[in-house]
Structure formats: C-alpha cells, structure tokens
Amino acid sequence: MSGVWVFKNGVIRLVENPNQSGADTHSRRKVMVYLPTGEVVSSYSTLGQILQGLGWERYFGGGDADLLQFHKRSSIDLISLPKDFTKFNSVYMYDIVVKNPNYFHVRDSH
C-alpha cells in the first residue's frame, strides 16, 4: 500500500500515489481478488454474494444513503463502502481483507 495518509476534518484517509499523474495512477489501480476462486471482484453484486457466503448481511441502520454496509451477527465488525463502485479503492479493499483473513488479496491491476 503506497501513498500518503491525510488527516482532515477529524478523518484520516489514504491518498494513493499523490505525486503521480492521473494516467499513471489509473494504471497502478488496485484490484481485490477472492482467493478461493481467484476471481477479481469487479462489482458490488459479486462482492455482495461473496460476503453473504462468508456470513455477512446487508446493514441498513447506518443512516447514510451514500454507503453500502455489511455486518456479521457474530461480531461487532461493520464494512462500509461507497455506493458508487468507481470509488471503491484500496482503503475499502484492505478493510475487507482485514475482516476476512485468508479470503481476499489486494494486488496491482495489470
């Protein structure tokens, strides 16, 4: 994971490759791979099915219409994702990886 952590308005976020041009940043985009099948997660439809198979359920109690959220009844974990899949970046990917060890991997897109 490369980039710069930026703290603004009480929120910390990762800005990936801040010194690269837009074209270079796009070519180094990350993808998340579902390890049991080797499938690259390319949509929320696919991700939702995978997460459901791992015991995650959609959570509608967050109150933010711009987020898709998933929770597990067996834990306090909550996965929050932007509704727009084009905004699904490595920060969200790594959150999923940490909460689902041995099921996902993040790598550079080729």
Side-chain angles (χ1 to χ4, degrees):
M1 185 162 59
S2 64
V4 177
W5 288 100
V6 176
F7 185 77
K8 184 177 179 182
N9 298 330
V11 176
I12 192 164
R13 66 183 179 90
L14 178 66
V15 177
E16 294 187 57
N17 305 316
N19 295 326
Q20 292 186 349
S21 69
D24 289 340
T25 302
H26 183 68
S27 68
R28 292 188 48 110
R29 186 167 175 84
K30 304 286 187 189
V31 293
M32 186 170 67
V33 178
Y34 181 54
L35 293 175
T37 63
E39 176 183 11
V40 171
V41 176
S42 58
S43 71
Y44 280 149
S45 174
T46 302
L47 180 59
Q49 291 174 354
I50 293 169
L51 290 175
Q52 185 178 16
L54 296 173
W56 292 89
E57 300 175 352
R58 279 292 305 274
Y59 178 71
F60 298 97
D64 190 337
D66 294 331
L67 294 176
L68 291 176
Q69 296 183 311
F70 296 88
H71 76 98
K72 266 189 172 179
R73 290 179 187 236
S74 62
S75 77
I76 61 170
D77 288 334
L78 183 69
I79 296 172
S80 296
L81 307 170
K83 268 200 174 159
D84 182 355
F85 190 77
T86 62
K87 295 179 181 176
F88 180 64
N89 61 34
S90 65
V91 172
Y92 301 105
M93 294 177 194
Y94 283 112
D95 184 44
I96 292 170
V97 169
V98 167
K99 293 173 180 169
N100 297 278
N102 305 315
Y103 286 100
F104 293 97
H105 175 73
V106 177
R107 64 172 170 80
D108 287 334
S109 172
H110 296 289

